[in-house]
Amino acid sequence: MNVNFETKEVYINGNRHYILLQANDEEPSALVALSNVLLLSPSLSNFARNLIQLVGSRRSVAMYELVETLANIGIQNPNGINTNINQLLQILPQLQNGLMVNPEFNGSFEDSVEISIFRLYSVGIVHGWIFDGRGDPRASEHVSKYSYQEAQRAIVQSYDLKDLAQQQQLSSDQEAIVEDATYLKSFLARSATQFTDYGLEHLKQLLVERSYAVLYRNEHFYTLYKSNGELYTLVTDHVYKSNSEVVWKSLKSVNGSQDTYQTGAFITVNPNDLTQNVPETDLANENSRVSNPFGDEQHPNDGTTYNGNMSHLPQQANNGTQEQMEDDEELARMLQEEEDRVAADRLQGIALMQANQQQKKQQQQEKKSKRKSFFLGGGKKKNKDQQDNNNNTNTGVTTNGQPPAPGDKKKHKRKKSCIIM
């Protein structure tokens, strides 16, 4: 992949650092976020010194250089003793293309190969999409046990179970799924930015002062830092490359309404003094861009969390929101169908690519066999000159380099080689 990451010089608390910017104004990627944690974290400076030297000596870093350096760092880490560097070289580029992780509503992630990459580099990955069950333990039982992908499956499954309930009695497990889906849809509708007030509080308590981590939110990845009890995300948008004042963006609110730009010394920068426009990938604008298929007219993409008391939701659904729930169900079903279609297209594309590669390989083998047959000729030395003359006569040139005489134009028949496929 021909991707280059430009570098930027920043000063954080008086210390000079070099960071990577997003490539070509792309969305915040896990590869850049992970690399910047390694570049900035004092506790990882010795471990990441080769990466620090690479980024500090270049105006831009090519993808292959970054991946090779990270791979070498990974296998040198005690956590990577049994790591295969070839597999690492294949996995690391995926961090730029769009890393798939599955956040759980209790604050953790479903364990996966992708998550193990962060463990390999001793870098924490966190999210703030957490359900606050302090005011309603019953609701917490229905929501906190789910991950995002599991919640999607449960909601879609509940549609089919409701249809089935019209024909037969549901089992206790099936009824539990339907009930869970009601709470899940309400939670998703009120946390469309994949962030909650409780999640923000949790992250402030989780991170140690002056520590770094990777923040996941809405399939984007940010370099997260804690200073004086507050959270900040590193500004890596290409539009701010020449603006040395803009280094951080505060993370004080779920919907970004209270967030501000900060210098490397954590001094607020007046947005009116900035010459650049705010890029679309800013964390503060996530709320306005997120599509919320579970929203309703009372809570349209507000990005706020529910107050914790959800025990009355089933009664509300039965009394006044049945029509809206059906609309939500249809939207969710359409989303699921779209995901299935994208997955099918991806598999079809892979199969087509493999078929094309196999066809090219066969064509190359066929050309190689024909070329070998041509150079071998009849095999008898005494006929070689005559065959050369005949071959050259067919091409319009004799062995002495002169055009052939009219009488020399004889048809030459060659035995075709038989290729077994």
Side-chain angles (χ1 to χ4, degrees), residues 179-198:
E179 187 177 8
D180 288 346
T182 302
Y183 287 93
L184 288 168
K185 285 192 294 182
S186 182
F187 171 66
L188 294 175
R190 290 159 177 79
S191 59
T193 61
Q194 297 191 0
F195 213 60
T196 65
D197 290 324
Y198 179 72

Side-chain angles (χ1 to χ4, degrees), residues 142 145-146 150-151 153-159 161-162 170-184:
H142 291 281
K145 62 183 179 181
Y146 281 90
E150 291 171 343
R153 288 192 292 266
I155 292 174
V156 173
Q157 188 178 3
S158 68
Y159 308 147
L161 291 175
K162 288 181 180 179
L170 298 180
S171 66
S172 58
D173 291 340
Q174 292 173 330
E175 290 179 349
I177 293 175
V178 174
E179 187 177 8
D180 288 346
T182 302
Y183 287 93
L184 288 168

Side-chain angles (χ1 to χ4, degrees), residues 310-321:
M310 299 175 63
S311 60
H312 64 292
L313 288 175
Q315 287 75 15
Q316 282 188 341
N318 291 333
N319 295 333
T321 62

Side-chain angles (χ1 to χ4, degrees), residues 261-284:
Y261 289 100
Q262 306 277 325
T263 66
F266 301 97
I267 300 174
T268 302
V269 179
N270 189 344
N272 295 329
D273 296 336
L274 300 178
T275 57
Q276 294 91 345
N277 294 325
V278 177
E280 292 184 357
T281 55
D282 275 348
L283 195 60

Side-chain angles (χ1 to χ4, degrees), residues 3-248:
V3 177
N4 290 295
F5 305 93
E6 294 197 50
T7 63
K8 179 181 178 180
E9 181 184 44
V10 297
Y11 284 85
I12 299 177
N13 293 324
N15 299 317
R16 183 176 67 175
H17 299 273
Y18 290 90
I19 63 172
L20 292 176
L21 302 178
Q22 302 298 332
N24 302 322
D25 291 334
E26 292 182 0
E27 296 178 342
S29 70
L31 184 62
V32 172
L34 172 65
S35 299
N36 283 330
V37 170
L38 295 173
L39 290 167
L40 297 177
S41 179
S43 62
L44 300 175
S45 58
N46 290 332
F47 170 58
R49 61 181 179 275
N50 291 338
L51 178 64
I52 295 174
Q53 293 174 358
L54 173 67
V55 176
S57 62
R58 306 287 182 87
R59 292 185 176 180
S60 66
V61 178
M63 165 77 86
Y64 77 91
E65 294 177 299
L66 180 60
V67 168
E68 287 180 357
T69 303
L70 287 174
N72 288 326
I73 292 175
I75 62 175
Q76 294 173 10
N77 188 1
N79 296 336
I81 294 178
N82 297 322
T83 302
N84 186 312
I85 189 170
N86 292 325
Q87 293 179 346
L88 198 56
L89 290 171
Q90 294 177 354
I91 295 175
L92 284 172
Q94 298 177 14
L95 274 67
Q96 175 63 21
N97 301 335
L99 191 67
M100 298 300 297
V101 296
N102 186 21
E104 298 177 342
F105 299 143
N106 59 9
S108 60
F109 288 88
E110 180 183 39
D111 198 13
S112 63
V113 175
E114 291 79 6
I115 295 298
S116 68
I117 291 295
F118 296 93
R119 286 200 298 266
L120 174 64
Y121 292 97
S122 302
V123 172
I125 178 171
V126 297
H127 72 88
W129 201 6
I130 308 174
F131 179 78
D132 183 5
R134 293 173 297 184
D136 193 346
R138 177 186 174 188
S140 181
E141 293 178 359
H142 291 281
V143 177
S144 298
K145 62 183 179 181
Y146 281 90
S147 67
Y148 177 49
Q149 294 178 5
E150 291 171 343
Q152 287 181 311
R153 288 192 292 266
I155 292 174
V156 173
Q157 188 178 3
S158 68
Y159 308 147
D160 297 330
L161 291 175
K162 288 181 180 179
D163 294 337
L164 181 62
Q166 298 177 0
Q167 303 175 6
Q168 65 183 51
Q169 181 69 28
L170 298 180
S171 66
S172 58
D173 291 340
Q174 292 173 330
E175 290 179 349
I177 293 175
V178 174
E179 187 177 8
D180 288 346
T182 302
Y183 287 93
L184 288 168
K185 285 192 294 182
S186 182
F187 171 66
L188 294 175
R190 290 159 177 79
S191 59
T193 61
Q194 297 191 0
F195 213 60
T196 65
D197 290 324
Y198 179 72
L200 182 57
E201 296 176 8
H202 171 78
L203 290 180
K204 289 182 179 180
Q205 297 176 1
L206 180 66
L207 266 67
V208 179
E209 183 69 17
R210 293 198 174 189
S211 65
Y212 292 85
V214 172
L215 172 66
Y216 169 82
R217 183 179 184 181
N218 282 330
E219 298 182 1
H220 296 165
F221 298 83
Y222 305 87
T223 300
L224 185 66
Y225 183 63
K226 181 179 178 180
S227 177
N228 294 323
E230 298 294 334
L231 299 179
Y232 301 87
T233 56
L234 186 68
V235 178
T236 57
D237 303 279
H238 194 270
V239 70
Y240 292 118
K241 174 189 174 183
S242 301
N243 194 322
S244 59
E245 292 296 310
V246 178
V247 178
W248 299 105

